[in-house]
């Protein structure tokens, strides 16, 4: 099974509605490694590592979000840590964390 790392940016009403906890729960269920955090512009960002099929399922769930969220758009890009050093994902990371 092919593994990859993807970066997600979720736009809409996604802060103050439990979105990060939702994303972390889904990622853990899919056994992905990575993290999720709020951004100053009101969006949510996540970086996840794992099998491509699981990353695709994660993206599908991010489009839905928790009940109080209003997801307008999810940007997904394949990501390599050297593209943006401040988003570095340590290969030793285990589990999925909320930042």
């Amino acid at each position: 099974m092919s593994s990859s790392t993807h970066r997600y940016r979720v736009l809409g009403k996604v802060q103050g509605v439990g979105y990060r906890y939702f994303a972390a729960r889904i990622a853990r269920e899919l056994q992905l490694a990575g993290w999720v955090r709020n951004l100053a512009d009101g969006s949510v960002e996540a970086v996840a590592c794992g099998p491509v099929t699981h990353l695709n399922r994660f993206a599908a769930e991010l489009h839905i979000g928790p009940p109080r969220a209003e997801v307008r758009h999810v940007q997904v890009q394949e990501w390599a840590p050297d593209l943006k050093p401040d988003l570095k994902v340590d290969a030793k990371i285990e589990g999925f964390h909320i930042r």
Side-chain angles (χ1 to χ4, degrees), residues 1-4 30-32 50-55:
M1 195 178 281
S2 177
S3 288
S4 188
L30 294 169
Q31 299 179 343
L32 299 174
V52 173
T53 55
H54 294 195
L55 294 172

Side-chain angles (χ1 to χ4, degrees), residues 7-16 19-20 36-46 72-75:
R7 177 179 178 258
Y8 307 85
R9 185 161 170 251
V10 186
L11 306 167
K13 182 183 172 191
V14 292
Q15 290 190 15
Y19 197 92
R20 290 176 301 155
V36 61
R37 68 180 176 181
N38 286 337
L39 295 179
D41 66 2
S43 65
V44 168
E45 175 182 58
R72 282 195 330 259
H73 183 67
V74 178
Q75 299 170 345

